[in-house]
Amino acid sequence: MRKVKSALAVLSCAALTAALFSSCSVDTSKTYTGSDYTIPEVDLSVMPEDLPEQYRYLYEMTVVDDSKDYVAHPDSVLLRNSDILTFYPEGHGKGAILNKYSSDGGLTYTGTIPNTPESWKSSLETPTVYRLQFTDGSEKLILISANPQWEGEADTPGGFNCSISSDEGRTWTEFQRFYDNQSENPVVPIVAMSSLTQLKEDGKFVDKWMGLFHDADFYNYKTILTFDENGNMQWSAPEKYFSEYRDIERDSQMCEVEVVRSDGGQGDELALLTRSNSRTMNSLVSFSTDEGATWSEPKELPAALNGDRLKAEYLQDGRLFITFRSIERGPKAAAAAQSKTEKKRGWMSEGWVAWVGTYDDLKNGTEGQYRIKLAHTYLAGQTEPGYAANQDTGYCGNVVMPDGTIVTSSYGCFDPNKLTADGSAYRTSIVSKRIKISDLEAVMRGVLGMEF
């Protein structure tokens, strides 16, 4: 969630500090009301001394980009040749869209797309990227970037921008803008599209995709993507889809939702996972059995899944791998709070984490199997990994390679020895990690003696 204008002062984001650590403001009169998670968590930020060589990669990171004082908010797509293409903005949310690709499964990121569209240079938000698979067997990639209203700056054009690639990311169309301030149905989106889900009709997938986003007042919208007979994009007029539960939507400050389809992505039920920006309740889950036309009353997710910008991928064995920015609201977090501000704020973060569990865990409200602390993100003044971490992380690009290896990419202050040019703060980097679940679980059981 970035710094954007809102009709409600309490909802607007705090200024980006000179130290480049940013977060969203919340009602600091709230106290700790959450619980601690109880499932195991494996910490990949500190490598065991007796770790066999074959597993050491789990504790290592690959740098995607550390060329600037601040880079953030990546998203990734797996190409058909197994290359990984990662996009991110040149700055906090807004800024020219940059890219890197890996041709060796995330071991190195050395290439970039030549001759990217000129319109990408004026992007106002973090890009999201998706693969569109049409029923005739053809495919396209789509990159989307919203036009939110940044506080203290001139009015935004509004709407959202879309760019298409029909050749596996080698070339892209210039941005085409939809539903800006000059249209009959203007919107000012934030994180568009946080989710883009192919829809079904009569139990079969069709060439329609449901895109979701929110605005600065935490209204959540959906719009349906289709293509006409000439291949031109068409998005339906954005409509609020959570009005029946507006009190919950407003009080939780629901945003940046993720949609997970049941049965390994082939089922007939959708689960909606939310960020609760107010921090007064956990992330929420809601279900739809009519392709997003209606949703069940949202319920809090267990503490093990509480966080921001949840991003989900199915593993080859049918389990879910979900990354997010950890938000901890339980007694352990209360005990870890150091300053008066932290104690009043009512939450802390473990940083960049992942959760492994099943769709049934989402459905039944159970905690899942285990969590992974993927890497430590350093708070100001920290020189060693610890429980409390810098929350300016998450927003991951996740892909699952043909051999089942997960490649997850995020951003954060991963190295306390790397300072900004003026020496005032830790520098951020975009990094990726490679995880083969069978290797991870072998370490958890055989080296760490964990039960899960």
Side-chain angles (χ1 to χ4, degrees):
M1 185 69 175
R2 259 81 61 207
K3 182 185 174 191
V4 292
K5 284 187 177 179
S6 170
L8 304 177
V10 72
L11 303 187
S12 60
C13 290
L16 188 63
T17 66
L20 295 174
F21 299 141
S22 65
S23 63
C24 291
S25 60
V26 296
D27 184 349
T28 55
S29 67
K30 301 294 182 182
T31 57
Y32 288 85
T33 57
S35 60
D36 294 323
Y37 61 86
T38 63
I39 58 175
E41 181 178 84
V42 58
D43 186 352
L44 298 184
S45 66
V46 180
M47 185 185 298
E49 291 183 2
D50 57 349
L51 186 69
E53 182 67 30
Q54 70 194 86
Y55 301 130
R56 289 181 175 266
Y57 79 94
L58 294 166
Y59 292 81
E60 298 168 348
M61 297 181 293
T62 297
V63 173
V64 178
D65 192 344
D66 64 353
S67 63
K68 304 177 187 303
D69 279 352
Y70 192 92
V71 285
H73 308 115
D75 200 4
S76 302
V77 64
L78 182 65
L79 303 181
R80 285 303 174 198
N81 65 357
S82 294
D83 286 359
I84 302 168
L85 186 52
T86 297
F87 298 95
Y88 47 97
E90 187 179 24
H92 185 83
K94 65 177 178 176
I97 294 174
L98 306 178
N99 71 90
K100 283 287 185 72
Y101 69 79
S102 172
S103 58
D104 54 13
L107 291 169
T108 60
Y109 289 78
T110 56
T112 60
I113 303 169
N115 303 317
T116 53
E118 186 70 19
S119 52
W120 287 13
K121 294 179 180 179
S122 57
S123 174
L124 292 177
E125 241 230 345
T126 172
T128 59
V129 60
Y130 298 95
R131 177 176 295 280
L132 305 177
Q133 296 178 293
F134 294 83
T135 54
D136 65 1
S138 63
E139 298 183 333
K140 298 180 187 292
L141 303 179
I142 185 169
L143 185 142
I144 306 167
S145 175
N147 295 309
Q149 177 64 66
W150 289 80
E151 189 173 316
E153 297 190 2
D155 289 341
T156 176
F160 53 89
N161 307 310
C162 300
S163 186
I164 291 287
S165 174
S166 300
D167 57 8
E168 286 297 287
R170 289 186 292 274
T171 62
W172 294 80
T173 63
E174 293 289 347
F175 270 150
Q176 184 177 352
R177 187 183 301 159
F178 296 86
Y179 299 106
D180 62 14
N181 292 337
Q182 305 303 313
S183 74
E184 294 182 2
N185 299 282
V187 288
V188 185
I190 301 172
V191 189
M193 302 296 170
S194 66
S195 179
L196 187 65
T197 304
Q198 189 166 16
L199 298 177
K200 287 184 171 185
E201 291 179 357
D202 299 323
K204 296 182 179 180
F205 285 108
V206 294
D207 295 340
K208 294 182 180 181
W209 292 263
M210 178 177 64
L212 304 179
F213 63 85
H214 70 282
D215 67 13
D217 293 317
F218 298 96
Y219 283 102
N220 286 265
Y221 293 81
K222 74 174 180 181
T223 173
I224 307 301
L225 169 65
T226 56
F227 290 80
D228 66 17
E229 62 275 9
N230 296 316
N232 298 311
M233 280 182 288
Q234 299 175 316
W235 292 88
S236 66
E239 58 181 299
K240 297 172 182 175
Y241 65 89
F242 230 64
S243 298
E244 183 179 357
Y245 306 111
R246 176 56 185 162
D247 288 350
I248 298 173
E249 180 186 45
R250 180 193 61 236
D251 294 347
S252 70
Q253 296 180 7
M254 170 181 158
C255 59
E256 297 175 359
V257 304
E258 169 74 314
V259 171
V260 180
R261 188 176 285 278
S262 61
D263 296 333
Q266 302 300 309
D268 296 327
E269 182 176 72
L270 302 176
L272 180 85
L273 312 177
T274 82
R275 166 178 175 167
S276 289
N277 194 62
S278 70
R279 312 295 192 229
T280 59
M281 62 186 78
N282 284 355
S283 296
L284 304 172
V285 63
S286 177
F287 297 92
S288 175
T289 55
D290 56 12
E291 296 300 298
T294 60
W295 295 92
S296 66
E297 181 177 351
K299 305 293 184 184
E300 283 188 280
L301 284 164
L305 264 170
N306 186 40
D308 298 343
R309 193 66 175 110
L310 282 76
K311 295 285 291 294
E313 294 289 340
Y314 275 103
L315 303 176
Q316 290 181 339
D317 62 12
R319 287 181 293 174
L320 281 164
F321 178 87
I322 301 179
T323 55
F324 53 100
R325 171 194 294 161
S326 149
I327 300 295
E328 309 303 328
R329 302 172 53 243
K332 185 177 180 180
Q338 301 295 315
S339 67
K340 290 183 179 179
T341 300
E342 287 176 327
K343 291 180 184 296
K344 287 183 67 177
R345 185 174 69 175
W347 60 273
M348 53 80 65
S349 178
E350 287 191 54
W352 180 24
V353 301
W355 173 93
V356 176
T358 67
Y359 186 89
D360 283 345
D361 289 322
L362 303 180
K363 186 72 174 175
N364 299 328
T366 45
E367 278 202 292
Q369 198 168 7
Y370 57 85
R371 288 176 31 137
I372 309 165
K373 181 170 179 175
L374 292 160
H376 187 70
T377 49
Y378 287 83
L379 290 162
Q382 277 185 333
T383 57
E384 298 291 338
Y387 168 58
N390 190 336
Q391 73 270 14
D392 195 16
T393 186
Y395 290 77
C396 303
N398 300 329
V399 301
V400 180
M401 303 297 293
D403 68 352
T405 300
I406 303 152
V407 182
T408 177
S409 300
S410 189
Y411 75 101
C413 300
F414 297 110
D415 187 344
N417 297 310
K418 291 184 177 180
L419 301 177
T420 54
D422 63 5
S424 65
Y426 296 149
R427 190 172 182 163
T428 68
S429 303
I430 295 175
V431 304
S432 74
K433 290 185 70 78
R434 302 172 70 252
I435 298 173
K436 201 160 190 174
I437 287 294
S438 59
D439 285 349
L440 178 66
E441 293 179 350
V443 170
M444 294 171 68
R445 291 190 176 100
V447 178
L448 302 176
M450 300 175 68
E451 296 181 0
F452 52 93

